[in-house]
Amino acid sequence: MYSRIFLWEFQKQFLSDILPNFDNFTRCHDSNDPLDGSKLPKEQSGVSILWPDSWSGNVKKLKEGNERIVAITLSSNYNICIINAYLPTNDKDSAYEYSECLDIIFDIIQKYQDLYEIILCGDLNGTLLHSRSNKHDKLLKNFVQELGLQTAGNYDSKMTFFHHSGQSSSQIDYILTRNISIFKEHKIWDRSATNSSAHVPVETNTTSGMK
């Protein structure tokens, strides 16, 4: 399970409190410079990967990444490297930071690709749809093409993000890999009144044999 989270460093324990049977690897916006909670700036996102605690002996948390990127390796009947990313939102000055994040992901893939099946997932704040081509979209499409990544399932034109205003939607949440044979199911959830997020879940099951 991967997620974008709205927690500060001093709040990370909340994940263990509400999900007691899961372990996690979490980086918050202030992980490198923790805040004390007295004067918090506007809400900022971090990233987390969660897994059943029975898997923990097979999971290694990787030091590579930053407050927007976390990665783990998982040993099963084959080895997997999972990278979860929450990439910068598109604005007039975001291309440099977006490129920096892609460079970090590139380095992780290059380091682990020979021994692990790579899964890149998360809110990539860029689309692979041909119908849109802003600066993030172009960077993401070039990145995916260069590394030979493809979606875990058939996304078609199904959207994953719906602005709360109701005036726009986009496809920006992805599960990407080089080897689609490691996946046996893939689903983009429909919108639901019980989901308060602007994003809908994107789900896949692998053939890893972990239970």
Side-chain angles (χ1 to χ4, degrees):
M1 180 190 302
Y2 71 89
S3 178
R4 189 180 89 181
I5 59 165
F6 290 93
L7 295 175
W8 299 99
E9 186 69 21
F10 72 93
Q11 298 171 321
K12 283 199 306 187
Q13 182 59 37
F14 291 169
L15 285 175
S16 298
D17 294 341
I18 63 176
L19 295 167
N21 298 319
F22 284 80
D23 200 351
N24 70 85
F25 183 24
T26 300
R27 286 195 179 116
C28 303
H29 181 76
D30 65 329
S31 286
N32 293 327
D33 187 16
L35 301 173
D36 63 9
S38 59
K39 290 185 178 181
L40 295 176
K42 183 180 178 181
E43 193 173 59
Q44 299 285 346
S45 292
V47 281
S48 187
I49 300 176
L50 300 95
W51 59 89
D53 53 17
S54 60
W55 295 9
S56 292
N58 299 89
V59 173
K60 179 182 178 182
K61 301 175 183 179
L62 303 183
K63 64 181 180 180
E64 293 85 359
N66 62 12
E67 71 278 4
R68 290 184 173 274
I69 301 163
V70 291
I72 63 170
T73 58
L74 173 64
S75 300
S76 58
N77 56 329
Y78 53 84
N79 296 323
I80 302 172
C81 176
I82 301 173
I83 306 164
N84 179 25
Y86 165 50
L87 298 189
T89 302
N90 183 36
D91 62 38
K92 66 176 183 178
D93 299 317
S94 60
Y96 180 77
E97 185 184 5
Y98 195 88
S99 296
E100 277 192 326
C101 288
L102 291 180
D103 287 343
I104 292 171
I105 296 170
F106 180 90
D107 289 343
I108 296 172
I109 292 174
Q110 290 294 303
K111 182 173 181 178
Y112 292 96
Q113 64 182 348
D114 291 339
L115 296 176
Y116 296 89
E117 298 287 357
I118 302 295
I119 299 175
L120 169 61
C121 51
D123 177 355
L124 303 186
N125 267 316
T127 190
L128 299 178
L129 290 173
H130 297 298
S131 57
R132 201 182 80 179
S133 190
N134 65 36
K135 58 183 180 293
H136 284 198
D137 302 335
K138 293 175 182 177
L139 288 167
L140 181 62
K141 289 169 184 173
N142 289 338
F143 177 82
V144 166
Q145 182 177 19
E146 179 181 359
L147 287 172
L149 297 171
Q150 53 189 318
T151 57
N154 186 1
Y155 277 64
D156 292 323
S157 58
K158 192 164 186 179
M159 301 302 174
T160 65
F161 171 82
F162 301 86
H163 196 279
H164 287 300
S165 69
Q167 296 180 353
S168 64
S169 61
S170 56
Q171 183 188 102
I172 57 175
D173 303 274
Y174 289 101
I175 301 174
L176 304 173
T177 186
R178 286 174 170 164
N179 181 8
I180 60 173
S181 68
I182 66 174
F183 300 108
K184 56 185 178 181
E185 293 180 69
H186 181 269
K187 177 183 178 181
I188 299 174
W189 287 36
D190 294 325
R191 299 179 73 185
S192 168
T194 60
N195 178 15
S196 60
S197 172
H199 300 256
V200 295
V202 179
E203 174 187 352
T204 192
N205 291 319
T206 73
T207 58
S208 68
M210 300 295 292
K211 296 181 179 180

